[in-house]
């Protein structure tokens, strides 16, 4: 595949199971959108601070590693999401209808992790965090530096949080039926609660 900054989008359509590998120089990728009906999506090693990536699959897993982009949106109807070693200038979003989310070493101004039915496991996050699961647990371990607003919510599941908190806005930690355990790291500001 050859491309240039003025090229039209490249579309692929196949009736059977096909694996496609596309390699492009990172400087050519200002925006990348993938959309599969029922296939896995894997993206690795893109380093372009101006790139916006939107990876979507109807029923498949999404895996990313080593991305440095302006924005990263991961969305699957029914599949797991695994994302590691990503830095995003503005936002990182991982959403799944029914599947688990695993995020490790993510840095972004705004981090959103959302699943209707599945667990959220994360470590080494840096940014404002909004994590929600309808049915499942939320567990944040490692060296998390959470800033600005914090929102953690489960409909039915436990919340375990180990982090350094430097919050400047309203924050919320809620579970419909489950327990909450907070472990604050050195350097955290005092928390008030009601």
């Amino acid at each position: 595949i050859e491309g240039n900054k003025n090229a039209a989008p490249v579309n692929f359509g196949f009736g059977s199971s096909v694996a496609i590998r596309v390699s492009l120089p990172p400087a050519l990728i200002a925006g990348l959108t993938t959309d599969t009906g029922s296939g896995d999506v894997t993206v690795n090693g893109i380093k372009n601070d101006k790139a916006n990536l939107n990876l979507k699959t109807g029923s498949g897993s999404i895996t990313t590693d080593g991305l440095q982009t302006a924005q990263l949106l991961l969305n699957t109807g029914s599949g797991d999401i695994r994302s590691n070693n990503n830095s995003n200038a503005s936002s990182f979003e991982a959403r799944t209808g029914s599947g688990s989310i695993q995020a490790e070493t993510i840095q972004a101004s705004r981090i959103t992790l959302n699943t209707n039915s599945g667990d959220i496991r994360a470590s080494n996050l840096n940014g404002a965090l909004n994590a929600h699961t309808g049915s499942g647990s939320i567990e944040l371990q490692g060296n998390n530096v959470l800033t600005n607003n914090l929102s953690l919510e489960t409909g039915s599941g436990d919340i375990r949080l180990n982090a350094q908190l430097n919050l400047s806005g309203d924050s919320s930690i809620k579970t419909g039926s489950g327990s909450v355990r907070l472990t604050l790291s050195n350097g955290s500001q005092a928390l008030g609660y009601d």
Side-chain angles (χ1 to χ4, degrees):
I1 295 176
E2 293 182 21
N4 65 52
K5 63 182 177 182
N6 298 320
V10 177
N11 296 308
F12 299 99
F14 299 97
S16 62
S17 178
V18 173
I20 299 173
R21 181 182 175 121
V22 178
S23 296
L24 296 171
L28 288 181
I29 302 173
L32 174 65
T33 299
T34 66
D35 192 347
T36 69
S38 61
D40 295 340
V41 175
T42 301
V43 177
N44 297 318
I46 295 175
K47 301 216 182 314
N48 182 340
D49 290 336
K50 296 181 177 135
N52 294 316
L53 276 60
N54 182 353
L55 312 178
K56 181 179 179 183
T57 180
S59 63
S61 295
I62 298 175
T63 304
T64 67
D65 188 28
L67 304 182
Q68 184 176 335
T69 61
Q71 182 176 349
L72 181 59
L73 173 59
L74 313 174
N75 191 338
T76 178
S78 62
D80 295 335
I81 296 174
R82 298 190 78 174
S83 191
N84 302 309
N85 304 311
N86 298 309
S87 62
N88 309 85
S90 62
S91 68
F92 172 90
E93 295 184 32
R95 299 180 184 277
T96 178
S98 63
S100 64
I101 297 173
Q102 180 178 343
E104 295 180 14
T105 315
I106 307 295
Q107 181 175 356
S109 297
R110 187 179 69 246
I111 301 169
T112 302
L113 309 173
N114 191 320
T115 177
N116 293 335
S117 175
D119 294 333
I120 297 173
R121 304 261 184 269
S123 63
N124 305 320
L125 303 182
N126 189 328
L129 175 63
N130 180 338
H132 175 270
T133 177
S135 173
S137 63
I138 297 174
E139 183 175 339
L140 289 107
Q141 297 297 320
N143 184 25
N144 298 291
V145 179
L146 304 177
T147 58
N148 299 324
N149 297 2
L150 171 66
S151 176
L152 304 176
E153 183 175 357
T154 68
S156 62
D158 296 336
I159 297 174
R160 304 276 182 261
L161 171 65
N162 179 6
Q164 177 180 335
L165 300 180
N166 295 309
L167 306 173
S168 61
D170 292 334
S171 295
S172 172
I173 300 173
K174 296 191 256 186
T175 180
S177 64
S179 63
V180 175
R181 188 173 109 209
L182 302 176
T183 304
L184 301 181
S185 303
N186 286 337
S188 292
Q189 63 188 167
L191 288 178
Y193 63 91
D194 48 327

